[in-house]
Amino acid sequence: RIALRKWDAAEKIVEEIWFPKHASDLDNCAHVVVKYEPTEDPKHPGYGDEKYIARRAELNRIANSYKYGNPIPIVEYTEEEHDTWRQAYAMLKQLRPTHTCREYQVNIQRMEDAGVITPNEIPSLRDLSAYIQKRTGFELRPCGGLLSARDFLASLAFRVFQATLYVRHHSAPQHCPEPDVIHEILGHCPMFADPEMAQLSQEIGLLSLGASDSEIERLSTLYWFIIEFGLSKEADGTFKAIGAGLISAYGELQHACSDAPSHEPFDPEVTALRTYEDSEYQPVYFVAESIQDAMERLRKYAKSFKRSVVTVYNPYARTVEQVNRW
Ligand code: TIH
Ligand code: FE2
């Protein structure tokens, strides 16, 4: 009933923008964008591998048939897929103490102790989702590939994280040019079990609801540089990864924390306007004082957004409500 408005360059209202009002509306927020697919991109490790391409399509079909309220499907992964997991897990485990932030280390250890993350086979997203839900209320929902920024960010407003099911190509356990289930599990899941990371992610999501295209662009850039590729600086001056896209990629994790790339402080005014690389290492990494500090900076920055409403989450009804319309 209460509509959000889309503004043109002259700030004239031109169109209403639909956005989800209840967690079940996320069934309409699963639009896949085709970018770094093995069917399209010769640099993709699975390029030309027909069997791999067919397997991904199969898993994406399962994900795309998911509806709100369904149990998360239990996927029977193949021996080769489990082997890719084993390799990625073992490589990343070596870097955990030296290259990842405290929040990550604490949460992945707890998840291993609880048996929801194991070294030898791909963990169950259903069990992981139940675990994270108990800690922060975040839950997983399967999706069939890389989503549009608007849809992906909208789900975060409801503490829902849309996760892919397919596995990176067996020839490249150390890096995947797009999200895959190893990235979701080893990169994101332990971070969503952290209350501050859960809050930061949800606030980005709430800001995205009904936002203009240029605001979506800026929010997804911020999401990218903090939640996917963010670093924090420890008291001893070393960099540690906060970002899930670093934590799940053996090569880039070492690169990002080394002196090779440039490091700049995370400052939404500056960071939101940068361009980023999808399939290569990032040209620059942004360093936050802490997750809390990143959140405070984001809140300050968001005050400049031209929004006709403020969106607030009601966790009891799982709805988003609008207040302070002007
Ligand atoms: N490059 C990451 C990995 O190898 O795990 C996956 C991605 C995260 C974000 C974009 S691509
Ligand atoms: Fe991701």
Side-chain angles (χ1 to χ4, degrees):
R1 263 181 312 114
I2 311 168
L4 271 185
R5 307 303 165 109
K6 185 170 180 171
W7 312 78
D8 68 7
E11 302 197 359
K12 231 177 80 231
I13 293 165
V14 286
E15 187 194 318
E16 292 178 356
I17 301 175
W18 179 87
F19 68 88
K21 311 293 186 306
H22 183 264
S24 60
D25 293 338
L26 296 174
D27 287 348
N28 301 314
C29 298
H31 298 96
V32 172
V33 294
V34 177
K35 251 185 172 171
Y36 295 96
E37 297 270 331
T39 40
E40 310 278 319
D41 181 1
K43 286 202 308 240
H44 193 291
Y47 184 68
D49 182 341
E50 294 303 329
K51 209 169 128 219
Y52 178 71
I53 290 167
R55 173 63 172 160
R56 284 165 59 104
E58 182 190 353
L59 293 178
N60 285 343
R61 264 197 310 279
I62 294 175
N64 286 328
S65 67
Y66 182 87
K67 290 280 174 285
Y68 172 79
N70 291 356
I72 297 178
I74 305 283
V75 174
E76 290 255 353
Y77 286 106
T78 65
E79 191 37 50
E80 186 176 77
E81 288 166 335
H82 286 306
D83 191 59
T84 308
W85 164 266
R86 275 194 283 280
Q87 293 189 53
Y89 176 92
M91 284 192 283
L92 291 166
K93 182 143 193 179
Q94 293 168 12
L95 299 182
R96 208 188 279 174
T98 45
H99 288 69
T100 69
C101 65
R102 187 181 42 82
E103 291 82 355
Y104 182 78
Q105 294 190 40
V106 168
N107 283 299
I108 194 164
Q109 186 60 51
R110 284 189 184 146
M111 292 164 102
E112 291 180 345
D113 294 345
V116 289
I117 293 186
T118 49
N120 290 330
E121 55 187 45
I122 301 178
S124 143
L125 287 186
R126 190 187 287 181
D127 293 350
L128 279 162
S129 183
Y131 178 92
I132 301 168
Q133 229 169 333
K134 274 204 265 179
R135 299 212 68 96
T136 62
F138 247 92
E139 68 179 273
L140 305 174
R141 136 174 209 141
C143 72
L146 190 66
L147 298 183
S148 80
R150 190 179 284 282
D151 286 351
F152 181 76
L153 295 177
S155 65
L156 298 177
F158 297 85
R159 296 211 172 201
V160 171
F161 180 68
Q162 303 216 46
T164 52
L165 298 181
Y166 58 79
V167 184
R168 62 190 59 187
H169 196 258
H170 190 245
S171 67
Q174 77 289 355
H175 190 261
C176 185
E178 30 156 24
D180 76 320
V181 76
I182 296 180
H183 163 69
E184 319 293 20
I185 295 173
L186 282 181
H188 287 291
C189 286
M191 293 308 290
F192 281 127
D194 174 72
E196 287 180 356
M197 183 50 111
Q199 184 66 27
L200 172 62
S201 305
Q202 183 178 29
E203 289 193 22
I204 295 177
L206 284 165
L207 286 166
S208 79
L209 298 178
S212 67
D213 289 347
S214 68
E215 285 166 353
I216 292 286
E217 181 64 34
R218 286 183 277 154
L219 286 169
S220 64
T221 304
L222 290 175
Y223 174 89
W224 184 269
F225 279 123
I226 192 76
I227 292 173
E228 293 289 356
F229 292 96
L231 294 172
S232 64
K233 197 169 185 172
E234 302 286 293
D236 65 0
T238 58
F239 298 118
K240 306 279 189 222
I242 300 175
L246 291 177
I247 294 173
S248 63
Y250 184 74
E252 187 162 6
L253 180 53
Q254 295 174 84
H255 169 77
C257 296
S258 76
D259 292 334
S262 62
H263 296 104
E264 292 181 33
F266 177 72
D267 173 2
E269 303 275 349
V270 176
T271 309
L273 303 176
R274 293 300 178 81
T275 53
Y276 55 81
E277 281 296 328
D278 279 272
S279 63
E280 309 277 339
Y281 291 175
Q282 305 307 310
V284 53
Y285 297 92
F286 290 92
V287 185
E289 299 284 319
S290 63
I291 298 170
Q292 185 65 34
D293 185 64
M295 187 146 59
E296 279 157 23
R297 285 167 186 267
L298 172 78
R299 285 177 186 157
K300 216 152 119 207
Y301 174 68
K303 293 207 173 108
S304 69
F305 278 21
K306 291 192 204 71
R307 308 186 78 218
S308 57
V309 294
V310 173
T311 46
V312 179
Y313 186 57
N314 174 344
Y316 311 108
R318 303 204 71 190
T319 52
V320 162
E321 289 162 11
Q322 301 176 182
V323 293
N324 292 1
R325 188 150 193 256
W326 45 260

